[in-house]
Every structure is written in C-alpha cells, then in structure tokens.
C-alpha cells in the first residue's frame, strides 16, 4: 500500500524503543510504542517523544511529521498503573523552568510534575514549527487526547474513539484543557459530563477530527496528505502554523488552560484530602471497571 512500516507496527530495529522514529522522504514518522499497555504514556515515553519531535524539527529534509501509535490503539492515556510507571523518576526537564518534583510533597510535587510533563510538554509540542498530523486508530483516551490535540490536526480511522473520563475521578478534564476549543463548549460539556466515547464520526461532526477513513486506508490517506503539505515551503508552513496558533490563543485557549489548570490541581488536592490519593482512589483497573459499569447502565 505504502512504503515504510504500517501504523500498527514499529520498525524492526526499534522494537524495544518506547517511541520509534523513521524518515521516509519529507515525512518523519513518530510512533508511540508500548503496544502491550495500549501506548500508556509514562515519562520515559514523554521525553522520548520530545526527543523525536526535536530531531524532526532539526532535520531540514523533514517537512511534515506524522504521529501514530503501534498495536491496536493510539493511546489509552497517562500511565496510571503499568509496571513501567515512572512518576517518581527525574528526567532532564525542558518544558518549563521549575524545580524537580521528585523530592517534593503534595501539591508542590504534583504541580511541578504536571506543569512540566503534561501541560508544558503539550504546549511545547504544539509549537513544533512543522506540521504534525495525528494519525489515530483505536482508543484515544484522556492523556491520548492531549497528544492528538497538540498536533495540528487529526485524521482518524473509522474504528477510532475518543473519551475523557477523568470527571469520574472528580477532576475537570485532562491537564491540557483544549476541550472547548477543539469542539464546541456544549459538546465539551457532554463529552466531559458523560465520559462517553465519541466515535471518529461524531468527533468529525464536531470539528475535532478532519477526516475519517476506513482502517485500511488510514495510512495511505495520511501519507498522501503529508506529501501534499510537504510541497509547501518550510518557513511558510512554520509561519502559518504560528499564525493559526496565535489566533487560537487570542480565542482564549492559552489563558483558559492556565485557569483550568488551577481547578485541575484543586481537584487533585481535594482528592488527596478526602480519599486515598490524588486520583480519588481510582487506578487504571478501577477506571475501566467504572466505565464499563456506566456503559452497561
Ligand atoms: Zn493531573
């Protein structure tokens, strides 16, 4: 169908990497690669993704970047329960200037970590000066949304679905609170209040997804789009991306996210005060069980 490896598999020589990197012509392919955990994002993956985006930025032969996930899903969100969970590990911070979270406590620790690894990183990736297309199949949940939303646009297969169920934890949405900007505010409320899965088609109707195609046409569609964009001049694309991002921020996105980040951390702190932890005692398994219960209700 196309050259390169398909979205669902990693290049053979990078099978052990949490993020893989491959350049074909003018297109850099970046793949999340923890398929056994539905590409749950630990910090190792976050920093590897940042390295890959930096590499693509620095390579003048790369005009367009495509982000996808190996295995059956794009990403099931932040890692809240795999053996590779590494929330207590220090990495070389680069998204914001703040102190390391590892030797801190309570809100001090959470605010430091989430400012850097979640909100800060997504904002940094949104500003990558080359077009980034999210190629989404399967699950795109919570932290998975943050990755897809920090890309310039989304092309999804018809089996893709999107949800942000963190209201179940008492938390008003994921850290990169783009919901009211990537869809309309009323749809954002339904999305958050119910925690329901929105299909790729529904997401497209709401303007969150640009195109929906059959699963076996996903890669060829995305690569054809990438090639078309690659015909444009590099600097023109960079300035155009900045222009639209600036307009989006003038529509309040950046300031809105900052204000909601405060509510998000208030929710974490409330949870820590009244339950067993900042996630309201809900780990990945408990969340899955609760989501299933609601779907069956
Ligand atoms: Zn959080």
């Amino acid at each position: 169908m196309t050259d390169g490896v398909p979205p669902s598999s990693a290049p053979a020589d990078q099978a052990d990497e949490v993020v893989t990197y491959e350049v074909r012509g003018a297109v850099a392919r970046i793949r999340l690669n923890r398929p056994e955990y539905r590409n749950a994002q630990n910090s190792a993956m976050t920093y590897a993704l940042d390295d890959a985006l930096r590499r693509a930025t620095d390579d003048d032969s790369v005009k367009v970047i495509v982000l996808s996930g190996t295995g059956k899903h794009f990403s099931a969100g932040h890692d809240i329960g795999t053996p590779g969970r590494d929330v207590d590990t220090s990495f070389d911070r680069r998204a914001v200037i703040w102190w390391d979270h590892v030797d801190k406590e309570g809100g001090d620790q959470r605010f430091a970590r989430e400012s850097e690894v979640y909100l800060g990183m997504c904002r940094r990736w949104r500003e990558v000066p080359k077009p980034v297309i999210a190629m989404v199949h399967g699950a795109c949940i919570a932290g998975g949304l943050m990755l897809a939303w920090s890309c310039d646009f989304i092309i999804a297969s018809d089996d893709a679905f999107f949800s942000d169920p963190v209201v179940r934890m008492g938390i008003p949405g994921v850290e990169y609170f783009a919901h009211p900007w990537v869809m309309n505010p009323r749809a954002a409320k339904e999305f958050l209040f119910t925690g329901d899965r929105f299909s790729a088609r529904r997401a497209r109707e709401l303007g969150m997804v640009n195109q929906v195609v059959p699963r076996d046409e996903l890669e060829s569609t995305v690569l054809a789009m990438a090639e078309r964009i690659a015909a444009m001049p590099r600097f023109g694309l960079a300035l155009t991306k900045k222009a639209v991002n600036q307009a989006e921020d003038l529509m309040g996105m950046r300031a809105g996210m900052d204000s909601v980040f405060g509510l998000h951390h208030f929710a974490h702190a409330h949870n820590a005060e009244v339950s067993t932890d900042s996630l309201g005692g809900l780990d990945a398994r408990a969340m899955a069980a609760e989501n299933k219960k609601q779907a069956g209700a």
Side-chain angles (χ1 to χ4, degrees):
M1 185 171 59
T2 48
D3 59 2
V5 291
S8 53
S9 30
D13 60 337
Q14 299 175 50
D16 296 337
E17 308 286 333
V18 291
V19 170
T20 70
Y21 185 84
E22 182 188 30
V23 176
R24 296 272 170 160
V27 181
R29 299 287 305 273
I30 299 175
R31 294 175 178 85
L32 311 172
N33 190 37
R34 296 184 79 206
E36 66 278 35
Y37 302 116
R38 300 193 297 162
N39 294 322
Q41 301 160 47
N42 56 11
S43 291
M45 178 186 272
T46 300
Y47 284 91
L49 175 57
D50 191 74
D51 288 341
L53 289 166
R54 183 56 184 258
R55 194 170 162 188
T57 299
D58 287 344
D59 182 348
D60 283 346
S61 72
V62 170
K63 299 286 289 292
V64 181
I65 301 162
V66 173
L67 176 65
S68 61
T70 65
K72 292 183 178 155
H73 303 283
F74 178 76
S75 174
H78 295 140
D79 187 342
I80 56 171
T82 83
R85 193 176 188 212
D86 54 8
V87 285
D88 296 327
T89 306
S90 288
F91 285 82
D92 182 19
R93 283 159 287 124
R94 57 187 87 159
V96 294
I97 183 160
W98 202 266
W99 46 74
D100 190 20
H101 71 282
V102 167
D103 58 345
K104 306 300 184 296
E105 299 181 305
D108 186 0
Q109 179 183 63
R110 282 190 299 271
F111 190 83
R113 179 166 180 278
E114 297 201 346
S115 296
E116 160 74 16
V117 180
Y118 296 159
L119 181 59
M121 277 294 187
C122 286
R123 282 178 163 170
R124 180 173 153 88
W125 298 335
R126 174 175 174 258
E127 289 170 14
V128 165
K130 296 183 179 181
V132 186
I133 304 173
M135 178 164 81
V136 176
H137 72 293
C140 180
I141 301 173
L145 296 168
M146 294 173 44
L147 291 189
W149 290 347
S150 65
C151 296
D152 295 301
F153 57 82
I154 301 171
I155 299 181
S157 55
D158 50 13
D159 66 332
F161 60 91
F162 305 83
S163 78
D164 185 356
V166 306
V167 177
R168 195 179 297 295
M169 298 170 165
I171 298 170
V174 289
E175 291 82 5
Y176 186 79
F177 191 79
H179 314 58
W181 287 272
V182 297
M183 59 183 97
N184 66 69
R186 287 174 185 275
K189 285 177 182 168
E190 180 189 339
F191 190 64
L192 286 160
F193 290 174
T194 63
D196 280 351
R197 292 176 171 190
F198 278 18
S199 68
R201 266 173 228 296
R202 179 89 198 274
R204 183 173 181 276
E205 281 165 20
L206 295 169
M208 195 186 103
V209 162
N210 288 55
Q211 274 192 69
V212 181
V213 296
R215 179 75 178 79
D216 61 358
E217 293 172 22
L218 179 62
E219 183 172 51
S220 57
T221 304
V222 170
L223 292 180
M225 174 72 89
E227 295 294 337
R228 293 193 60 210
I229 294 171
M232 290 289 189
R234 176 182 56 81
F235 190 44
L237 288 169
L239 294 178
T240 304
K241 174 164 178 167
K242 217 170 171 50
V244 178
N245 283 0
Q246 284 174 192
E248 205 174 20
D249 286 339
L250 289 169
M251 295 174 208
M253 189 166 92
R254 187 176 181 89
M257 276 191 190
D258 280 331
S259 70
V260 177
F261 197 60
L263 297 176
H264 181 96
H265 277 271
F266 176 57
H268 276 316
H270 176 74
N271 282 343
E273 197 177 338
V274 303
S275 79
T276 52
D277 58 49
S278 66
L279 301 179
L282 289 168
D283 61 10
R285 189 168 296 176
M287 279 293 278
E290 288 296 323
N291 288 334
K292 207 168 276 177
K293 207 190 291 175
Q294 186 181 6

